[in-house]
Amino acid sequence: MPNIIDGKAHSARIRESLKEEIALFKEQTSVTPGLAVILAGDDPASYVYVRNKIKACEELGIKSFAYYLPASVSEGELLGLIDRLNSDVNVHGILVQLPLPEGLDEESIISRIDYKKDVDGIHAVNAGKLLRGADALLPCTPAGCIELIKSVTEISGKRAVVVGRSNLVGKPLAIMLLAQNATVTICHSRTRDLKEICRSAEILCVAVGRPNFITADTVKEGAVVIDVGINRVDGRLCGDVKFDEVSLKASHITPVPGGVGPMTITMLLSNTLKAARLQCGR
Ligand code: GUN
């Protein structure tokens, strides 16, 4: 039987120590880390994610500021809100929940966030710093994946394959694996011989948003498999990896739910403390 990588347990451990760090930070600086979360539109899944982020902040002693805007919000209004949050000293992190409703330009909205407050790590400055190996706010989901992989295996020297090339997950995850000295291949919808490439992976990370996309014949015996997908099929959550059969072949695998998901929010909390430290010079 493979080992299930328990993202919930890892997450709980990290949050416990973050809670202590935040309490100490408040004591030393009299500053409470603050996170602003903006949700435009009424996508039910995004609403649940945002609610969970707000709840997690409360549990750790981070002050949260939630902004629920209609899908009809204009780009000008949204940019105006970001400008106000950029100059609000009580707000150390700003997160704009994605995807944005149609008609809003993601690139111009994300680039308006002060990169020092970009706790999602997706501003071009943070993406560039990640690429160059400089200290940066890192995207939460890939950072969570790296923590989970490190908990079960040494990354250095391993063959890693990332399936998916989004700006939020696939691309930054590949760069983070490279920074850990893995030999990295990125696969995507136009990749030829995808199965064969995946079968070479000692570490296989999948973030394509397609239920059960990765089957057992796509996985190397003994691989570490990280499933970033969160798909809803017949009212039930499932990942991008066909868990029942791949779990018989992998040495370690993340479940959905309870794998990468909880780590994403944990890394957001960690980034918020990091951003507050940067802004307070502590
Ligand atoms: N939508 C799904 N995951 C994320 C995330 O990590 N950050 C943001 N901003 N939106 C998301």
Side-chain angles (χ1 to χ4, degrees), residues 17-281:
S17 88
L18 266 177
K19 193 173 176 173
E20 285 172 22
E21 276 184 62
I22 290 167
L24 191 63
F25 174 78
K26 283 186 185 174
E27 213 175 280
Q28 290 169 340
T29 61
S30 305
V31 171
T32 300
L35 173 68
V37 181
I38 303 172
L39 172 60
D42 46 18
D43 177 62
S46 290
Y47 183 79
V48 172
Y49 294 145
V50 166
R51 203 183 52 200
N52 289 341
K53 287 169 186 176
I54 302 289
K55 186 163 155 264
C57 282
E58 278 166 22
E59 286 166 4
L60 264 70
I62 292 174
K63 187 161 172 48
S64 62
F65 306 85
Y67 296 87
Y68 298 99
L69 309 174
S72 60
V73 66
S74 71
E75 196 160 306
E77 285 172 271
L78 192 43
L79 293 175
L81 173 59
I82 291 171
D83 288 343
R84 288 199 298 284
L85 295 171
N86 278 341
S87 48
D88 186 337
V89 293
N90 296 308
V91 172
H92 305 97
I94 302 171
L95 180 145
V96 178
Q97 186 67 28
L98 301 174
L100 286 164
E102 214 140 301
L104 295 172
D105 181 47
E106 185 180 309
E107 197 57 38
S108 60
I109 287 161
I110 297 302
S111 62
R112 190 70 156 244
I113 299 171
D114 178 345
Y115 77 90
K116 296 188 245 28
K117 297 193 178 189
D118 167 40
V119 284
D120 246 348
I122 51 177
H123 187 286
V125 170
N126 284 315
K129 285 181 180 228
L130 167 61
L131 198 61
R132 293 174 63 98
D135 188 38
L137 289 165
L138 298 176
C140 304
T141 299
C145 292
I146 295 288
E147 290 294 320
L148 292 179
I149 299 166
K150 275 185 174 173
S151 76
V152 296
T153 194
E154 164 78 39
I155 297 177
S156 183
K158 295 266 164 67
R159 267 179 204 282
V161 172
V162 178
V163 189
R165 54 173 161 177
S166 67
N167 286 326
L168 202 56
V169 183
K171 276 189 242 175
L173 180 53
I175 302 301
M176 286 183 210
L177 285 162
L178 180 64
Q180 298 289 327
N181 303 310
T183 302
V184 185
T185 304
I186 306 175
C187 294
H188 47 79
S189 51
R190 305 282 172 88
T191 298
R192 277 186 286 121
D193 308 323
L194 183 132
K195 274 192 188 211
E196 203 177 304
I197 296 169
C198 289
R199 270 199 299 267
S200 74
E202 296 167 285
I203 298 169
L204 178 63
C205 303
V206 191
V208 289
R210 289 172 67 177
N212 302 320
F213 181 67
I214 296 292
T215 46
D217 61 344
T218 317
V219 176
K220 186 184 183 70
E221 187 85 44
V224 173
V225 178
I226 303 294
D227 187 353
V228 184
I230 302 180
N231 309 291
R232 197 170 283 276
V233 175
D234 301 329
R236 283 187 58 200
L237 289 185
C238 72
D240 293 346
V241 176
K242 206 162 188 181
F243 184 87
D244 290 349
E245 54 181 64
V246 172
S247 62
L248 300 175
K249 222 165 166 192
S251 69
H252 299 84
I253 183 167
T254 58
V256 177
V260 174
M263 291 296 283
T264 295
I265 298 189
T266 301
M267 294 299 125
L268 172 67
L269 302 165
S270 169
N271 272 351
T272 304
L273 175 61
K274 181 172 179 169
R277 282 194 197 286
L278 283 172
Q279 285 155 58
C280 296

